Amino acid sequence: MTASMTWRVGPLAEASGLTVRTLHHWDTIGLLSPSRRTAGGHREYTEDDIDRLYQVLALRSLGLGLETIAVCLDSGVDPTRVLRDHRAGVEASLAALDALRQRLLHIEEQIADGQRPTTEAVLAALRATGAAGSPGERALRQHLDGDQIQVLATRAAALGPTAHYLLEIEWPELYRRAEALRKAGKPPTDASVRKLVARMDELSVLFGGGDKKISGGVRAAWREDPAAMSGDASAVPGQWDDLSTYLDAARAGARA
């Protein structure tokens, strides 16, 4: 049996193009730690650690922060799968928009020929308009106007693939962790809860620009249509009301 390779911090830093200081920092914050210790007490990185290092570097190349990367990896997220899912979502949106385009062209041609658009054509265009965008986007349109939706879209587009990780991975994971703390009886004033809330609010500002009406609309969409917003078909309205109250108490405690 061939022994698995291991690396000490110096050789690994040289091989990866990182500095020893960087690897030590990542070890300190729990992002990447050597998981093997020799008989002499030296800490060494294993092949599994190198796999994690590759994922860290891949996610960092997308512009993700270290905290977000840690959440993604600790949640068991495969970066390739997330990018594939992101691409599939983009392709679905493009298909829906193309269907809308074709129906609008049909109506335009009818008008150009001096005809009144048929009821069937108008209804088909309306159905296509509703199909353009994800269920979450359609839920948001119930609470935000066109300008507010554009703010969210513009800021998300500026983030590129990073937006998908933040919205689909980190944000839901933060809520899951907060719910676990709530069920465990942790008071909302606890530092661990406040830290989660602070990160949630950072993401809210990142996407909404600090507009309270936008953040309020997003929260309303989560309350009224959690299935569309979370992608969990089993979610029902009111399911997370207790968690929302808990998080609001944490915010109030942080301001006190």
Side-chain angles (χ1 to χ4, degrees):
M1 181 180 296
T2 303
S4 298
M5 291 186 62
T6 58
W7 293 262
R8 293 190 182 180
V9 65
L12 180 59
E14 182 177 357
S16 62
L18 299 169
T19 65
V20 170
R21 182 177 181 179
T22 293
L23 289 175
H24 280 318
H25 175 62
W26 290 0
D27 180 16
T28 299
I29 65 176
L31 179 62
L32 177 71
S33 299
S35 57
R36 183 177 182 275
R37 189 178 294 274
T38 67
H42 296 290
R43 302 178 69 195
E44 295 181 332
Y45 294 88
T46 66
E47 292 178 347
D48 287 341
D49 297 331
I50 302 307
D51 289 341
R52 183 176 174 94
L53 172 60
Y54 173 79
Q55 292 181 315
V56 169
L57 295 177
L59 293 174
R60 195 172 69 159
S61 71
L62 295 175
L64 295 180
L66 296 182
E67 186 172 352
T68 300
I69 291 173
V71 171
C72 290
L73 296 183
D74 292 343
S75 300
V77 174
D78 176 4
T80 302
R81 179 186 64 78
V82 174
L83 287 175
R84 185 173 62 247
D85 291 346
H86 186 200
R87 175 176 53 79
V90 170
E91 291 176 348
S93 295
L94 289 174
L97 288 171
D98 186 60
L100 173 59
R101 176 178 175 274
Q102 294 300 325
R103 286 164 172 77
L104 293 175
L105 283 173
H106 180 58
I107 294 175
E108 184 180 335
E109 290 169 356
Q110 288 181 313
I111 294 175
D113 290 340
Q115 304 175 35
R116 179 175 179 175
T118 64
T119 301
E120 180 182 355
V122 173
L123 290 177
L126 290 173
R127 287 194 296 271
T129 301
S134 68
E137 291 170 347
R138 295 196 293 274
L140 284 173
R141 291 184 185 279
Q142 303 299 314
H143 301 278
L144 301 176
D145 62 29
D147 289 340
Q148 293 168 327
I149 292 290
Q150 187 58 48
V151 169
L152 291 175
T154 300
R155 295 180 73 89
L159 291 169
T162 301
H164 187 68
Y165 279 90
L166 297 176
L167 289 172
E168 305 294 335
I169 306 301
E170 183 177 11
W171 218 329
E173 178 64 16
L174 293 173
Y175 274 92
R176 284 192 290 268
R177 293 183 180 185
E179 177 66 353
L181 292 174
R182 185 188 71 82
K183 289 184 174 180
K186 188 76 69 174
T189 53
D190 188 86
S192 59
V193 182
R194 288 184 177 180
K195 181 179 180 181
L196 291 176
V197 169
R199 180 55 180 165
M200 291 175 189
D201 291 345
E202 284 179 3
L203 294 178
S204 179
V205 171
L206 185 63
F207 284 95
D211 188 316
K212 292 184 178 180
K213 291 184 178 179
I214 291 179
S215 61
V218 172
R219 290 184 190 178
W222 272 94
R223 284 195 305 271
E224 296 184 15
D225 198 348
M229 295 298 292
S230 68
D232 179 2
S234 65
V236 296
Q239 178 174 333
W240 293 317
D241 285 356
D242 289 343
L243 176 59
S244 295
T245 300
Y246 180 74
L247 296 176
D248 287 341
R251 291 184 178 94
R255 291 191 295 267

